[in-house]
PDB file of all heavy atoms in Angstrom:
ATOM      1  N   ALA A  87       0.842  -1.184   0.000  1.00  0.00           N
ATOM      2  CA  ALA A  87       0.000   0.000   0.000  1.00  0.00           C
ATOM      3  C   ALA A  87       0.882   1.241   0.000  1.00  0.00           C
ATOM      4  O   ALA A  87       1.796   1.353   0.820  1.00  0.00           O
ATOM      5  CB  ALA A  87      -0.904   0.000   1.234  1.00  0.00           C
ATOM      6  N   ASP A  88       0.604   2.152  -0.902  1.00  0.00           N
ATOM      7  CA  ASP A  88       1.381   3.394  -1.004  1.00  0.00           C
ATOM      8  C   ASP A  88       2.877   3.118  -1.069  1.00  0.00           C
ATOM      9  O   ASP A  88       3.673   3.746  -0.381  1.00  0.00           O
ATOM     10  CB  ASP A  88       1.075   4.321   0.171  1.00  0.00           C
ATOM     11  CG  ASP A  88      -0.377   4.765   0.190  1.00  0.00           C
ATOM     12  OD1 ASP A  88      -0.958   4.923  -0.899  1.00  0.00           O
ATOM     13  OD2 ASP A  88      -0.932   4.941   1.287  1.00  0.00           O
ATOM     14  N   LYS A  89       3.254   2.136  -1.869  1.00  0.00           N
ATOM     15  CA  LYS A  89       4.649   1.742  -2.094  1.00  0.00           C
ATOM     16  C   LYS A  89       5.327   1.146  -0.856  1.00  0.00           C
ATOM     17  O   LYS A  89       6.525   0.928  -0.853  1.00  0.00           O
ATOM     18  CB  LYS A  89       5.479   2.913  -2.628  1.00  0.00           C
ATOM     19  CG  LYS A  89       4.997   3.415  -3.972  1.00  0.00           C
ATOM     20  CD  LYS A  89       5.903   4.485  -4.497  1.00  0.00           C
ATOM     21  CE  LYS A  89       5.392   4.970  -5.844  1.00  0.00           C
ATOM     22  NZ  LYS A  89       6.258   5.965  -6.438  1.00  0.00           N
ATOM     23  N   LEU A  90       4.557   0.886   0.194  1.00  0.00           N
ATOM     24  CA  LEU A  90       5.104   0.241   1.385  1.00  0.00           C
ATOM     25  C   LEU A  90       4.683  -1.221   1.400  1.00  0.00           C
ATOM     26  O   LEU A  90       3.566  -1.565   1.037  1.00  0.00           O
ATOM     27  CB  LEU A  90       4.606   0.925   2.662  1.00  0.00           C
ATOM     28  CG  LEU A  90       5.089   2.344   2.905  1.00  0.00           C
ATOM     29  CD1 LEU A  90       4.480   2.885   4.196  1.00  0.00           C
ATOM     30  CD2 LEU A  90       6.603   2.404   2.972  1.00  0.00           C
ATOM     31  N   VAL A  91       5.598  -2.071   1.857  1.00  0.00           N
ATOM     32  CA  VAL A  91       5.332  -3.498   1.966  1.00  0.00           C
ATOM     33  C   VAL A  91       5.210  -3.818   3.454  1.00  0.00           C
ATOM     34  O   VAL A  91       6.106  -3.504   4.236  1.00  0.00           O
ATOM     35  CB  VAL A  91       6.480  -4.326   1.342  1.00  0.00           C
ATOM     36  CG1 VAL A  91       6.229  -5.807   1.500  1.00  0.00           C
ATOM     37  CG2 VAL A  91       6.667  -3.956  -0.130  1.00  0.00           C
ATOM     38  N   VAL A  92       4.094  -4.409   3.839  1.00  0.00           N
ATOM     39  CA  VAL A  92       3.870  -4.775   5.243  1.00  0.00           C
ATOM     40  C   VAL A  92       3.410  -6.221   5.323  1.00  0.00           C
ATOM     41  O   VAL A  92       2.706  -6.714   4.435  1.00  0.00           O
ATOM     42  CB  VAL A  92       2.840  -3.849   5.936  1.00  0.00           C
ATOM     43  CG1 VAL A  92       3.367  -2.434   6.062  1.00  0.00           C
ATOM     44  CG2 VAL A  92       1.517  -3.854   5.205  1.00  0.00           C
ATOM     45  N   PHE A  93       3.814  -6.880   6.391  1.00  0.00           N
ATOM     46  CA  PHE A  93       3.406  -8.265   6.606  1.00  0.00           C
ATOM     47  C   PHE A  93       1.930  -8.360   6.940  1.00  0.00           C
ATOM     48  O   PHE A  93       1.387  -7.518   7.649  1.00  0.00           O
ATOM     49  CB  PHE A  93       4.166  -8.877   7.795  1.00  0.00           C
ATOM     50  CG  PHE A  93       5.568  -9.290   7.502  1.00  0.00           C
ATOM     51  CD1 PHE A  93       6.621  -8.785   8.256  1.00  0.00           C
ATOM     52  CD2 PHE A  93       5.864 -10.206   6.509  1.00  0.00           C
ATOM     53  CE1 PHE A  93       7.920  -9.178   8.015  1.00  0.00           C
ATOM     54  CE2 PHE A  93       7.156 -10.600   6.251  1.00  0.00           C
ATOM     55  CZ  PHE A  93       8.183 -10.079   7.010  1.00  0.00           C
ATOM     56  N   THR A  94       1.313  -9.415   6.479  1.00  0.00           N
ATOM     57  CA  THR A  94       0.021  -9.830   7.006  1.00  0.00           C
ATOM     58  C   THR A  94       0.337 -10.701   8.223  1.00  0.00           C
ATOM     59  O   THR A  94       1.509 -11.003   8.490  1.00  0.00           O
ATOM     60  CB  THR A  94      -0.755 -10.669   5.969  1.00  0.00           C
ATOM     61  OG1 THR A  94       0.007 -11.852   5.683  1.00  0.00           O
ATOM     62  CG2 THR A  94      -1.025  -9.884   4.698  1.00  0.00           C
ATOM     63  N   HIS A  95      -0.672 -11.133   8.928  1.00  0.00           N
ATOM     64  CA  HIS A  95      -0.429 -12.027  10.068  1.00  0.00           C
ATOM     65  C   HIS A  95       0.277 -13.301   9.606  1.00  0.00           C
ATOM     66  O   HIS A  95       1.243 -13.759  10.219  1.00  0.00           O
ATOM     67  CB  HIS A  95      -1.745 -12.361  10.776  1.00  0.00           C
ATOM     68  CG  HIS A  95      -1.581 -13.323  11.910  1.00  0.00           C
ATOM     69  ND1 HIS A  95      -1.006 -12.957  13.102  1.00  0.00           N
ATOM     70  CD2 HIS A  95      -1.872 -14.636  12.016  1.00  0.00           C
ATOM     71  CE1 HIS A  95      -0.953 -14.015  13.904  1.00  0.00           C
ATOM     72  NE2 HIS A  95      -1.490 -15.049  13.262  1.00  0.00           N
ATOM     73  N   LYS A  96      -0.218 -13.855   8.505  1.00  0.00           N
ATOM     74  CA  LYS A  96       0.377 -15.069   7.926  1.00  0.00           C
ATOM     75  C   LYS A  96       1.848 -14.830   7.563  1.00  0.00           C
ATOM     76  O   LYS A  96       2.720 -15.652   7.844  1.00  0.00           O
ATOM     77  CB  LYS A  96      -0.410 -15.476   6.679  1.00  0.00           C
ATOM     78  CG  LYS A  96       0.157 -16.627   5.897  1.00  0.00           C
ATOM     79  CD  LYS A  96      -0.681 -16.870   4.637  1.00  0.00           C
ATOM     80  CE  LYS A  96      -0.119 -17.978   3.786  1.00  0.00           C
ATOM     81  NZ  LYS A  96      -0.926 -18.213   2.578  1.00  0.00           N
ATOM     82  N   GLY A  97       2.133 -13.698   6.945  1.00  0.00           N
ATOM     83  CA  GLY A  97       3.500 -13.378   6.539  1.00  0.00           C
ATOM     84  C   GLY A  97       4.433 -13.210   7.721  1.00  0.00           C
ATOM     85  O   GLY A  97       5.569 -13.691   7.711  1.00  0.00           O
ATOM     86  N   LYS A  98       3.964 -12.531   8.753  1.00  0.00           N
ATOM     87  CA  LYS A  98       4.795 -12.307   9.944  1.00  0.00           C
ATOM     88  C   LYS A  98       5.088 -13.634  10.640  1.00  0.00           C
ATOM     89  O   LYS A  98       6.212 -13.883  11.073  1.00  0.00           O
ATOM     90  CB  LYS A  98       4.125 -11.330  10.899  1.00  0.00           C
ATOM     91  CG  LYS A  98       5.035 -10.872  11.999  1.00  0.00           C
ATOM     92  CD  LYS A  98       4.565  -9.537  12.533  1.00  0.00           C
ATOM     93  CE  LYS A  98       5.703  -8.855  13.221  1.00  0.00           C
ATOM     94  NZ  LYS A  98       6.176  -7.672  12.576  1.00  0.00           N
ATOM     95  N   THR A  99       4.088 -14.500  10.705  1.00  0.00           N
ATOM     96  CA  THR A  99       4.266 -15.808  11.334  1.00  0.00           C
ATOM     97  C   THR A  99       5.301 -16.638  10.581  1.00  0.00           C
ATOM     98  O   THR A  99       6.223 -17.203  11.179  1.00  0.00           O
ATOM     99  CB  THR A  99       2.916 -16.565  11.385  1.00  0.00           C
ATOM    100  OG1 THR A  99       1.999 -15.790  12.160  1.00  0.00           O
ATOM    101  CG2 THR A  99       3.079 -17.941  12.006  1.00  0.00           C
ATOM    102  N   ASP A 100       5.175 -16.696   9.259  1.00  0.00           N
ATOM    103  CA  ASP A 100       6.125 -17.477   8.460  1.00  0.00           C
ATOM    104  C   ASP A 100       7.515 -16.847   8.459  1.00  0.00           C
ATOM    105  O   ASP A 100       8.522 -17.555   8.515  1.00  0.00           O
ATOM    106  CB  ASP A 100       5.616 -17.655   7.034  1.00  0.00           C
ATOM    107  CG  ASP A 100       4.580 -18.757   6.925  1.00  0.00           C
ATOM    108  OD1 ASP A 100       3.996 -19.144   7.959  1.00  0.00           O
ATOM    109  OD2 ASP A 100       4.359 -19.255   5.816  1.00  0.00           O
ATOM    110  N   ALA A 101       7.577 -15.520   8.389  1.00  0.00           N
ATOM    111  CA  ALA A 101       8.879 -14.839   8.405  1.00  0.00           C
ATOM    112  C   ALA A 101       9.602 -15.102   9.723  1.00  0.00           C
ATOM    113  O   ALA A 101      10.818 -15.317   9.738  1.00  0.00           O
ATOM    114  CB  ALA A 101       8.699 -13.340   8.184  1.00  0.00           C
ATOM    115  N   ARG A 102       8.859 -15.108  10.818  1.00  0.00           N
ATOM    116  CA  ARG A 102       9.458 -15.389  12.137  1.00  0.00           C
ATOM    117  C   ARG A 102      10.104 -16.783  12.132  1.00  0.00           C
ATOM    118  O   ARG A 102      11.209 -16.963  12.633  1.00  0.00           O
ATOM    119  CB  ARG A 102       8.402 -15.295  13.231  1.00  0.00           C
ATOM    120  CG  ARG A 102       8.949 -15.507  14.627  1.00  0.00           C
ATOM    121  CD  ARG A 102       7.886 -15.371  15.723  1.00  0.00           C
ATOM    122  NE  ARG A 102       7.422 -14.008  15.812  1.00  0.00           N
ATOM    123  CZ  ARG A 102       6.174 -13.609  15.571  1.00  0.00           C
ATOM    124  NH1 ARG A 102       5.259 -14.488  15.220  1.00  0.00           N
ATOM    125  NH2 ARG A 102       5.829 -12.347  15.668  1.00  0.00           N
ATOM    126  N   LEU A 103       9.439 -17.754  11.525  1.00  0.00           N
ATOM    127  CA  LEU A 103       9.992 -19.109  11.451  1.00  0.00           C
ATOM    128  C   LEU A 103      11.234 -19.166  10.558  1.00  0.00           C
ATOM    129  O   LEU A 103      12.208 -19.858  10.879  1.00  0.00           O
ATOM    130  CB  LEU A 103       8.932 -20.087  10.930  1.00  0.00           C
ATOM    131  CG  LEU A 103       7.743 -20.332  11.851  1.00  0.00           C
ATOM    132  CD1 LEU A 103       6.683 -21.175  11.148  1.00  0.00           C
ATOM    133  CD2 LEU A 103       8.179 -20.983  13.144  1.00  0.00           C
ATOM    134  N   VAL A 104      11.215 -18.438   9.441  1.00  0.00           N
ATOM    135  CA  VAL A 104      12.369 -18.390   8.536  1.00  0.00           C
ATOM    136  C   VAL A 104      13.566 -17.790   9.268  1.00  0.00           C
ATOM    137  O   VAL A 104      14.679 -18.332   9.223  1.00  0.00           O
ATOM    138  CB  VAL A 104      12.036 -17.576   7.262  1.00  0.00           C
ATOM    139  CG1 VAL A 104      13.290 -17.281   6.460  1.00  0.00           C
ATOM    140  CG2 VAL A 104      11.003 -18.301   6.415  1.00  0.00           C
ATOM    141  N   ILE A 105      13.341 -16.675   9.960  1.00  0.00           N
ATOM    142  CA  ILE A 105      14.416 -16.008  10.708  1.00  0.00           C
ATOM    143  C   ILE A 105      14.939 -16.925  11.803  1.00  0.00           C
ATOM    144  O   ILE A 105      16.154 -17.038  12.012  1.00  0.00           O
ATOM    145  CB  ILE A 105      13.913 -14.678  11.308  1.00  0.00           C
ATOM    146  CG1 ILE A 105      13.687 -13.653  10.203  1.00  0.00           C
ATOM    147  CG2 ILE A 105      14.851 -14.144  12.373  1.00  0.00           C
ATOM    148  CD1 ILE A 105      14.949 -13.163   9.523  1.00  0.00           C
ATOM    149  N   ARG A 106      14.045 -17.588  12.504  1.00  0.00           N
ATOM    150  CA  ARG A 106      14.463 -18.503  13.581  1.00  0.00           C
ATOM    151  C   ARG A 106      15.355 -19.615  13.041  1.00  0.00           C
ATOM    152  O   ARG A 106      16.414 -19.905  13.602  1.00  0.00           O
ATOM    153  CB  ARG A 106      13.232 -19.094  14.261  1.00  0.00           C
ATOM    154  CG  ARG A 106      13.535 -20.033  15.406  1.00  0.00           C
ATOM    155  CD  ARG A 106      12.278 -20.380  16.163  1.00  0.00           C
ATOM    156  NE  ARG A 106      12.258 -21.411  17.136  1.00  0.00           N
ATOM    157  CZ  ARG A 106      13.204 -21.911  17.888  1.00  0.00           C
ATOM    158  NH1 ARG A 106      14.414 -21.474  17.780  1.00  0.00           N
ATOM    159  NH2 ARG A 106      13.019 -22.862  18.771  1.00  0.00           N
ATOM    160  N   ARG A 107      14.940 -20.248  11.950  1.00  0.00           N
ATOM    161  CA  ARG A 107      15.753 -21.319  11.352  1.00  0.00           C
ATOM    162  C   ARG A 107      17.123 -20.796  10.929  1.00  0.00           C
ATOM    163  O   ARG A 107      18.140 -21.447  11.162  1.00  0.00           O
ATOM    164  CB  ARG A 107      15.045 -21.919  10.130  1.00  0.00           C
ATOM    165  CG  ARG A 107      13.979 -22.920  10.461  1.00  0.00           C
ATOM    166  CD  ARG A 107      13.552 -23.727   9.245  1.00  0.00           C
ATOM    167  NE  ARG A 107      13.367 -22.953   8.036  1.00  0.00           N
ATOM    168  CZ  ARG A 107      12.206 -22.462   7.618  1.00  0.00           C
ATOM    169  NH1 ARG A 107      11.110 -22.668   8.322  1.00  0.00           N
ATOM    170  NH2 ARG A 107      12.131 -21.783   6.487  1.00  0.00           N
ATOM    171  N   HIS A 108      17.130 -19.618  10.324  1.00  0.00           N
ATOM    172  CA  HIS A 108      18.392 -19.045   9.847  1.00  0.00           C
ATOM    173  C   HIS A 108      19.330 -18.750  11.026  1.00  0.00           C
ATOM    174  O   HIS A 108      20.514 -19.078  10.979  1.00  0.00           O
ATOM    175  CB  HIS A 108      18.124 -17.767   9.048  1.00  0.00           C
ATOM    176  CG  HIS A 108      19.350 -17.187   8.442  1.00  0.00           C
ATOM    177  ND1 HIS A 108      19.821 -17.582   7.210  1.00  0.00           N
ATOM    178  CD2 HIS A 108      20.223 -16.258   8.899  1.00  0.00           C
ATOM    179  CE1 HIS A 108      20.931 -16.915   6.945  1.00  0.00           C
ATOM    180  NE2 HIS A 108      21.186 -16.096   7.948  1.00  0.00           N
ATOM    181  N   ARG A 109      18.804 -18.161  12.065  1.00  0.00           N
ATOM    182  CA  ARG A 109      19.641 -17.804  13.218  1.00  0.00           C
ATOM    183  C   ARG A 109      20.109 -19.038  13.982  1.00  0.00           C
ATOM    184  O   ARG A 109      21.238 -19.071  14.477  1.00  0.00           O
ATOM    185  CB  ARG A 109      18.912 -16.811  14.105  1.00  0.00           C
ATOM    186  CG  ARG A 109      18.786 -15.466  13.396  1.00  0.00           C
ATOM    187  CD  ARG A 109      18.121 -14.412  14.200  1.00  0.00           C
ATOM    188  NE  ARG A 109      18.104 -13.165  13.432  1.00  0.00           N
ATOM    189  CZ  ARG A 109      17.338 -12.128  13.720  1.00  0.00           C
ATOM    190  NH1 ARG A 109      16.536 -12.167  14.771  1.00  0.00           N
ATOM    191  NH2 ARG A 109      17.374 -11.045  12.982  1.00  0.00           N
ATOM    192  N   LEU A 110      19.269 -20.054  14.049  1.00  0.00           N
ATOM    193  CA  LEU A 110      19.709 -21.309  14.672  1.00  0.00           C
ATOM    194  C   LEU A 110      20.805 -21.971  13.848  1.00  0.00           C
ATOM    195  O   LEU A 110      21.779 -22.503  14.404  1.00  0.00           O
ATOM    196  CB  LEU A 110      18.521 -22.270  14.845  1.00  0.00           C
ATOM    197  CG  LEU A 110      17.547 -21.910  15.957  1.00  0.00           C
ATOM    198  CD1 LEU A 110      16.309 -22.803  15.883  1.00  0.00           C
ATOM    199  CD2 LEU A 110      18.198 -22.017  17.323  1.00  0.00           C
ATOM    200  N   ALA A 111      20.665 -21.919  12.535  1.00  0.00           N
ATOM    201  CA  ALA A 111      21.700 -22.476  11.654  1.00  0.00           C
ATOM    202  C   ALA A 111      23.017 -21.721  11.848  1.00  0.00           C
ATOM    203  O   ALA A 111      24.089 -22.331  11.912  1.00  0.00           O
ATOM    204  CB  ALA A 111      21.256 -22.410  10.195  1.00  0.00           C
ATOM    205  N   GLU A 112      22.943 -20.399  11.964  1.00  0.00           N
ATOM    206  CA  GLU A 112      24.154 -19.605  12.202  1.00  0.00           C
ATOM    207  C   GLU A 112      24.817 -19.991  13.520  1.00  0.00           C
ATOM    208  O   GLU A 112      26.044 -20.128  13.594  1.00  0.00           O
ATOM    209  CB  GLU A 112      23.833 -18.108  12.212  1.00  0.00           C
ATOM    210  CG  GLU A 112      23.571 -17.535  10.860  1.00  0.00           C
ATOM    211  CD  GLU A 112      23.258 -16.043  10.900  1.00  0.00           C
ATOM    212  OE1 GLU A 112      22.830 -15.531  11.961  1.00  0.00           O
ATOM    213  OE2 GLU A 112      23.445 -15.396   9.868  1.00  0.00           O
ATOM    214  N   ARG A 113      24.026 -20.182  14.566  1.00  0.00           N
ATOM    215  CA  ARG A 113      24.589 -20.561  15.875  1.00  0.00           C
ATOM    216  C   ARG A 113      25.275 -21.922  15.779  1.00  0.00           C
ATOM    217  O   ARG A 113      26.368 -22.119  16.309  1.00  0.00           O
ATOM    218  CB  ARG A 113      23.504 -20.611  16.964  1.00  0.00           C
ATOM    219  CG  ARG A 113      22.833 -19.323  17.286  1.00  0.00           C
ATOM    220  CD  ARG A 113      23.653 -18.170  17.838  1.00  0.00           C
ATOM    221  NE  ARG A 113      24.932 -18.455  18.404  1.00  0.00           N
ATOM    222  CZ  ARG A 113      26.004 -17.645  18.302  1.00  0.00           C
ATOM    223  NH1 ARG A 113      25.928 -16.529  17.632  1.00  0.00           N
ATOM    224  NH2 ARG A 113      27.136 -17.962  18.862  1.00  0.00           N
ATOM    225  N   LEU A 114      24.620 -22.870  15.132  1.00  0.00           N
ATOM    226  CA  LEU A 114      25.199 -24.197  14.977  1.00  0.00           C
ATOM    227  C   LEU A 114      26.515 -24.119  14.211  1.00  0.00           C
ATOM    228  O   LEU A 114      27.530 -24.687  14.629  1.00  0.00           O
ATOM    229  CB  LEU A 114      24.235 -25.134  14.243  1.00  0.00           C
ATOM    230  CG  LEU A 114      24.795 -26.510  13.889  1.00  0.00           C
ATOM    231  CD1 LEU A 114      25.041 -27.324  15.148  1.00  0.00           C
ATOM    232  CD2 LEU A 114      23.874 -27.238  12.949  1.00  0.00           C
ATOM    233  N   LEU A 115      26.494 -23.409  13.101  1.00  0.00           N
ATOM    234  CA  LEU A 115      27.700 -23.301  12.281  1.00  0.00           C
ATOM    235  C   LEU A 115      28.830 -22.606  13.030  1.00  0.00           C
ATOM    236  O   LEU A 115      29.990 -22.999  12.923  1.00  0.00           O
ATOM    237  CB  LEU A 115      27.386 -22.554  10.985  1.00  0.00           C
ATOM    238  CG  LEU A 115      26.485 -23.302  10.010  1.00  0.00           C
ATOM    239  CD1 LEU A 115      26.014 -22.376   8.900  1.00  0.00           C
ATOM    240  CD2 LEU A 115      27.189 -24.518   9.427  1.00  0.00           C
ATOM    241  N   ASN A 116      28.503 -21.598  13.810  1.00  0.00           N
ATOM    242  CA  ASN A 116      29.518 -20.850  14.541  1.00  0.00           C
ATOM    243  C   ASN A 116      29.988 -21.597  15.782  1.00  0.00           C
ATOM    244  O   ASN A 116      31.189 -21.793  15.981  1.00  0.00           O
ATOM    245  CB  ASN A 116      28.975 -19.470  14.925  1.00  0.00           C
ATOM    246  CG  ASN A 116      30.033 -18.600  15.581  1.00  0.00           C
ATOM    247  OD1 ASN A 116      31.195 -18.624  15.190  1.00  0.00           O
ATOM    248  ND2 ASN A 116      29.631 -17.834  16.558  1.00  0.00           N
ATOM    249  N   ASP A 117      29.064 -22.018  16.608  1.00  0.00           N
ATOM    250  CA  ASP A 117      29.407 -22.581  17.916  1.00  0.00           C
ATOM    251  C   ASP A 117      29.914 -24.018  17.843  1.00  0.00           C
ATOM    252  O   ASP A 117      30.811 -24.392  18.584  1.00  0.00           O
ATOM    253  CB  ASP A 117      28.192 -22.530  18.850  1.00  0.00           C
ATOM    254  CG  ASP A 117      27.737 -21.112  19.130  1.00  0.00           C
ATOM    255  OD1 ASP A 117      28.486 -20.162  18.800  1.00  0.00           O
ATOM    256  OD2 ASP A 117      26.631 -20.943  19.658  1.00  0.00           O
TER     257      ASP A 117
END
């Protein structure tokens, strides 16, 4: 809307899971 991109509830929920997996993978790879 008005050139802005915002999450829907569904998008925020899925994005949170994507971020969580990525950050856990980073911790595993690093630690």
Side-chain angles (χ1 to χ4, degrees):
D88 297 327
K89 298 184 180 183
L90 293 179
V91 178
V92 294
F93 282 124
T94 62
H95 177 73
K96 174 183 178 180
K98 191 156 201 113
T99 299
D100 280 19
R102 183 178 293 117
L103 293 173
V104 168
I105 290 292
R106 181 170 169 26
R107 280 194 316 265
H108 185 87
R109 291 182 178 164
L110 286 171
E112 286 180 337
R113 296 298 342 144
L114 174 68
L115 291 169
N116 185 38
D117 297 348

